[in-house]
Amino acid sequence: MVLTGNQIDLFEASMPRLKAIAYRLLGSASDAEDAVQDTFLRWQSADVDRIEVPEAWLTKVLTNLCLNQLTSARARRETYVGQWLPEPLLAGDPMLGPADTVEQRESVSFAVLALMERLSPNERVVYVLREAFGYPHRRIAEILDITEASGQQIFHRAKKHIADGRTRTEIDEAAARRIVDEFLTAATSGRTEPLVRLLTADAVAIGDGGGKVPARTRPFKGAVAVAKFMRSLFTPNQAARNLLGGTAEIHVSYANGLPALVVTVDGRVIGVMCLEITADGIAAFRNQANPDKLERATRQWAATDHGEPVLRIN
């Protein structure tokens, strides 16, 4: 079927929302792009004139495509090398979607995206559509072909799983930046004690190298273990120089709504470390170093003004 200009415009107007939904469901910007493209192909082949509510139709098609991907992704991630973390989205990326409420901002954070990996595909869909996009339970039930009562039960179960896995905390930008600056000062001091004081007792550090770059297969756990790791990470040494292949520049930025350290070499993003900051200190470091998951970040980084680095590691 050949689409009219209005029908193409209608789809293009829906694209930002569709991409934001798909990213939250899949944790991968590239997979989200593919899902939206496949949705367009189905839109192109449908009898569009007979579709009464295009937005609902597009959301249902996209959701079903993502459900299929989530099922296959579970099998793939069982053989994934090391820890799995989402593909990071830098500040300003339109795929981040709405960020007006605490729930919307949290739904795209590394912490919640990682927790959503524990949910069933249906739980993840219901949680994302309800919590991040405010879909009424009736519409979610129609999308998943379930009863409204079942959808409500699934939502409450998913929300409990997410709540049990983390503590909700909102730190204002100024306070977050101050803590990040204190962390960098402590990390480059060569001493462990200042770092320990900035961390929560149960702090964790997780890295995703995807088997492409060195990364510990198990998280560091506990303030002392994490502090020692961070001290070594920010202490220049020949092994690090050889691994980096050049001078690493570290910028303070935001990724997935959280304070982040963006590490670049010759303009290429080689790491995005998101810091989870609570009222008690830094609770988690989640570092995405898999080059396959940093291509989008590198393109966006090259297209934006990010100022001078706060630190260089030679």
Side-chain angles (χ1 to χ4, degrees):
M1 176 179 176
V2 178
L3 297 177
T4 66
N6 286 341
Q7 290 164 343
I8 293 174
D9 290 344
L10 194 154
F11 181 85
E12 290 180 347
S14 299
M15 280 181 63
R17 177 181 54 83
L18 295 175
K19 287 182 179 181
I21 292 172
Y23 173 73
R24 284 166 169 79
L25 290 179
L26 301 174
S28 165
S30 56
D31 287 347
E33 293 276 9
D34 290 343
V36 172
Q37 180 60 33
D38 286 345
T39 301
F40 177 72
L41 294 177
R42 283 159 176 75
W43 174 253
Q44 197 173 31
S45 61
D47 188 351
V48 176
D49 291 334
R50 290 180 174 272
I51 297 174
E52 295 182 3
V53 186
E55 180 189 342
W57 188 93
L58 290 169
T59 303
K60 184 175 179 110
V61 169
L62 175 82
T63 300
N64 285 330
L65 288 167
C66 289
L67 281 170
N68 291 337
Q69 283 218 40
L70 284 170
T71 302
S72 61
R74 288 197 164 213
R76 291 197 307 271
R77 285 171 194 166
E78 287 178 2
T79 59
Y80 192 81
V81 179
Q83 299 292 312
W84 181 92
L85 288 174
E87 182 178 347
L89 298 180
L90 300 183
D93 192 314
M95 198 176 281
L96 287 168
D100 298 325
T101 67
V102 174
E103 291 78 11
Q104 289 172 338
R105 291 190 291 275
E106 284 195 333
S107 70
V108 80
S109 71
F110 260 30
V112 170
L113 287 173
L115 284 170
M116 281 199 281
E117 289 294 300
R118 305 177 186 178
L119 303 181
S120 70
N122 270 10
E123 286 174 338
R124 188 161 182 163
V125 168
V126 172
Y127 182 83
V128 165
L129 292 181
R130 180 65 181 169
E131 195 80 341
F133 294 90
Y135 277 60
H137 286 294
R138 175 182 55 78
R139 287 188 59 195
I140 296 173
E142 292 169 355
I143 288 169
L144 291 175
D145 292 324
I146 57 177
T147 66
E148 188 172 340
S150 294
Q152 290 175 330
Q153 290 176 352
I154 291 170
F155 173 69
H156 291 305
R157 189 164 63 241
K159 194 169 183 177
K160 184 177 186 304
H161 287 325
I162 298 295
D164 289 346
R166 74 186 302 269
T167 301
R168 172 178 289 175
T169 306
E170 281 253 296
I171 303 290
D172 66 73
E173 285 194 24
R177 178 57 193 257
R178 184 174 64 252
I179 293 171
V180 172
D181 289 342
E182 290 175 0
F183 163 73
L184 287 170
T185 299
T188 55
S189 70
R191 298 186 297 126
T192 303
E193 294 79 9
L195 278 167
V196 172
R197 288 195 292 270
L198 290 173
L199 309 179
T200 61
D202 58 351
V204 297
I206 303 169
D208 178 349
K212 306 294 178 68
V213 298
R216 183 180 168 92
T217 56
R218 293 185 179 181
F220 289 92
K221 295 183 178 180
V224 173
V226 172
K228 288 180 178 179
F229 170 64
M230 289 297 160
R231 183 193 63 191
S232 67
L233 201 62
F234 287 86
T235 301
N237 58 71
Q238 192 57 50
R241 295 187 189 97
N242 294 340
L243 179 64
L244 295 171
T247 299
E249 297 185 336
I250 299 176
H251 296 258
V252 178
S253 185
Y254 270 76
N256 292 72
L258 294 176
L261 300 178
V262 178
V263 186
T264 66
V265 172
D266 297 329
R268 177 173 51 88
V269 176
I270 65 165
V272 176
M273 180 185 288
C274 289
L275 282 68
E276 185 178 353
I277 301 174
T278 73
D280 298 321
I282 304 173
F285 300 87
R286 295 180 176 87
N287 183 40
Q288 183 54 262
N290 183 343
D292 292 345
K293 298 182 183 181
L294 294 172
E295 293 177 1
R296 184 184 182 92
T298 294
R299 290 195 302 271
Q300 187 180 355
W301 192 255
T304 56
D305 179 15
H306 32 73
E308 289 297 310
V310 296
L311 183 65
R312 286 186 173 91
I313 299 179
N314 296 310

